[in-house]
Amino acid sequence: MRTRFIAAGAALLALLMSVIAMTQSAQAATGLHVSGTKILEANGNQFIMRGTSHAHTWYPSQTSSFANIKSLGANTVRVVLSGGRWTANSASDVANVIALCKQNRLICVLENHDTTGYGEQSGAYTLDQAVDYWVGLKSVLTGQENYVVINIGNEPYGNNSPSAWTSATKSAISRMRAAGFQHLLMVDAPNWGQDWQFVMRDNAASVFDSDPQKNTVFSIHMYGVFDTAAEVTGYLQAFQTAGLPLVIGEFGNMHSDGDPDEDTIMSQAQSRGVGYLGWSWSGNGGGVEYLDQVTNFNVSQLTSWGQRLFNGANGIKSTAKEATIYSGQPPVSPSPSPSASPSPSASSSASPSASPSPSPSPSPSGGAKGCSATYKVANQWGGGFQGEVTVKAGSSAISGWTVTWTYANGQTITQAWNATVTSSGSSVTAKNVSYNGGLGAGASTSFGFLGSWNGTNAVPAVSCTAS
């Protein structure tokens, strides 16, 4: 009897430990996360990055680039941001970037470029300063863990004192977690991202272990240092042998420091299931204009590098798979807090200057196939605002909805997500998209948009019709 009791107790303990492990795993998987060498979505599906970088901080008006990058097959865009080394990107601007990524069904890798070449290049920021910037953006990043990867700092050390990278990176990760960030974090290598002294390679395990969430992916930039197949395969193999996650966060087809072996980079990434992000969409200067993938941001003018990256062997078009978060369920619109403000170093001209509307305007409920809609201003700043409309089905299920309203103060809509929005003068019509038209009785969905205003931004009356 005692033997049976002990065995039963052991079985019960094993079951409890299994439940605890499963609970912890479910809690950890709040969004994109790593498992061994792989990046997984919250549902457990593997996600392999295939995309490019877009220099948003220097070309903030080139918002059509997101749709154009998607049109060539990418599933990811790495977005260049600044916290003050260049013109700072405010919280509202970053919220718009996330909205553009989601509208175009792209995973958004947000990177702080201020740290580039620290210790060697004048004006470069520390990783600690980069964390300050991310903390200032927390209100627009929280809740976006399924869609956003935070690349803490671009190429955070040059070739001077790269050994300091290890402690600085551990500290940055620790501060990000202490601030409450649940996102997949990406950390770049020193030596201008190329790690030719192997500081990141040889210390990656301890850096990974320093993350209490074990949710950090390493990023190697491959330019002239990686000009032979042996160097490319050797570096990738080192991380796979160590069981650690790695992406090729930047690479090109040529460079002033040597001729990278882009064919091996792309073929090895494909065969090993490693993500890659080419540099960069358009707008390069300083003698590296050859790294532009399109000319003057024109998607119809692919350069030879762009043709190779998007349409060549092992290229983006033939290997990219869209994140499953965009399949069968609506993306969650960014919802900045009404009191959200840019980081202290952000441009004052982009900071919020008015409070959101406290009184949403519901439309009357319909009959058997009815719906109601509620309009609110989620965030507002000088000349711009973010709106959100919630649609709720009536007492019966519906298969589609249309929301209409008329602006009285000259407002215009510039971007929208989770709905097809058209305007005719001051009249606006929003229709459901394929994944959010069907609603059960009493169920609701929402869509969002960005707009401009001047003088007054009154909440309009809205109406909803269902089918």
Side-chain angles (χ1 to χ4, degrees):
M1 289 294 293
R2 187 169 180 271
T3 303
R4 289 182 180 178
F5 181 77
I6 292 172
L12 178 59
L13 178 61
L15 176 61
L16 288 172
M17 293 299 292
S18 175
V19 170
I20 291 170
M22 290 174 64
T23 302
Q24 290 175 335
S25 177
Q27 290 173 341
T30 56
L32 291 161
H33 61 284
V34 299
S35 177
T37 62
K38 299 177 180 179
I39 295 174
L40 307 180
E41 295 187 66
N43 62 9
N45 285 342
Q46 185 177 5
F47 179 72
I48 301 173
M49 295 183 189
R50 290 286 183 267
T52 187
S53 292
H54 170 51
H56 172 75
T57 197
W58 302 301
Y59 302 98
S61 65
Q62 296 292 341
T63 54
S64 62
S65 295
F66 293 85
N68 291 336
I69 289 168
K70 178 65 175 182
S71 73
L72 296 180
N75 62 21
T76 306
V77 61
R78 181 169 176 259
V79 184
V80 179
L81 302 175
S82 174
R85 184 177 176 183
W86 295 277
T87 301
N89 299 100
S90 67
S92 58
D93 182 37
V94 174
N96 186 30
V97 164
I98 296 171
L100 289 166
C101 286
K102 293 164 72 172
Q103 177 184 342
N104 292 290
R105 307 172 83 83
L106 292 163
I107 294 300
C108 215
V109 177
L110 302 178
E111 63 104 335
N112 186 331
H113 216 73
D114 295 338
T115 56
T116 307
Y118 176 74
E120 186 173 348
Q121 189 170 77
S122 175
Y125 282 26
T126 65
L127 277 171
D128 203 45
Q129 288 173 294
V131 173
D132 290 340
Y133 177 62
W134 294 120
V135 171
L137 297 177
K138 189 169 185 291
S139 62
V140 299
L141 296 173
T142 299
Q144 304 302 322
E145 293 85 357
N146 283 310
Y147 308 95
V148 170
V149 178
I150 300 176
N151 191 175
I152 299 177
N154 181 70
E155 300 178 358
Y157 280 84
N159 294 319
N160 294 338
S161 303
S163 60
W165 173 92
T166 303
S167 60
T169 301
K170 288 180 179 179
S171 175
I173 293 170
S174 177
R175 286 191 60 207
M176 293 291 286
R177 296 308 185 203
F181 287 96
Q182 304 290 314
H183 302 70
L184 172 59
L185 301 178
M186 182 183 291
V187 294
D188 282 9
N191 298 130
W192 299 91
Q194 297 201 74
D195 202 29
W196 60 269
Q197 291 176 291
F198 301 128
V199 172
M200 184 173 83
R201 184 198 68 180
D202 294 346
N203 292 279
S206 67
V207 170
F208 185 82
D209 288 340
S210 75
D211 181 356
Q213 295 185 20
K214 302 295 188 288
N215 197 23
T216 297
V217 61
F218 298 90
S219 172
I220 183 68
H221 294 183
M222 291 187 165
Y223 293 107
V225 169
F226 294 91
D227 58 355
T228 67
E231 288 164 323
V232 173
T233 56
Y235 199 89
L236 297 180
Q237 184 60 51
F239 274 80
Q240 294 202 315
T241 299
L244 294 170
L246 180 74
V247 297
I248 301 164
E250 285 185 20
F251 73 107
N253 64 335
M254 61 179 77
H255 203 263
S256 56
D257 67 350
D259 183 12
D261 185 354
E262 71 276 8
D263 291 341
T264 299
I265 291 170
M266 295 168 73
S267 64
Q268 284 291 307
Q270 177 61 17
S271 64
R272 295 171 183 265
V274 171
Y276 67 65
L277 302 168
W279 181 275
S280 70
W281 182 243
S282 197
N284 285 286
V288 294
E289 291 82 358
Y290 49 77
L291 288 173
D292 281 1
Q293 293 153 11
V294 299
T295 302
N296 295 326
F297 295 93
N298 187 340
V299 68
S300 65
Q301 295 184 21
L302 280 169
T303 64
S304 58
W305 169 221
Q307 288 282 4
R308 176 69 189 92
L309 179 69
F310 287 98
N311 300 325
N314 301 299
I316 289 171
K317 183 163 289 186
S318 63
T319 66
K321 295 183 179 179
E322 185 177 88
T324 60
I325 189 66
Y326 294 121
S327 303
Q329 57 180 307
V332 180
S333 61
S335 302
S337 165
S339 60
S341 60
S343 64
S345 61
S347 169
S348 60
S349 64
S351 61
S353 59
S355 60
S357 164
S359 54
S361 174
S363 70
S365 297
K369 281 275 190 178
C371 59
S372 62
T374 304
Y375 179 114
K376 72 174 182 179
V377 177
N379 199 10
Q380 183 169 288
W381 56 95
F385 72 101
Q386 179 182 337
E388 183 175 284
V389 174
T390 299
V391 178
K392 184 176 181 179
S395 58
S396 299
I398 63 175
S399 57
W401 47 262
T402 300
V403 178
T404 59
W405 67 88
T406 300
Y407 283 124
N409 308 114
Q411 301 100 317
T412 58
I413 292 178
T414 56
Q415 298 284 345
W417 54 92
N418 293 352
T420 301
V421 178
T422 57
S423 298
S424 177
S426 59
S427 298
V428 179
T429 301
K431 294 180 179 292
N432 65 272
V433 288
S434 60
Y435 50 74
N436 63 3
L439 298 175
S444 62
T445 187
S446 64
F447 63 92
F449 52 89
L450 298 174
S452 62
W453 66 284
N454 185 18
T456 304
N457 190 21
V459 172
V462 295
S463 62
C464 184
T465 57
S467 58

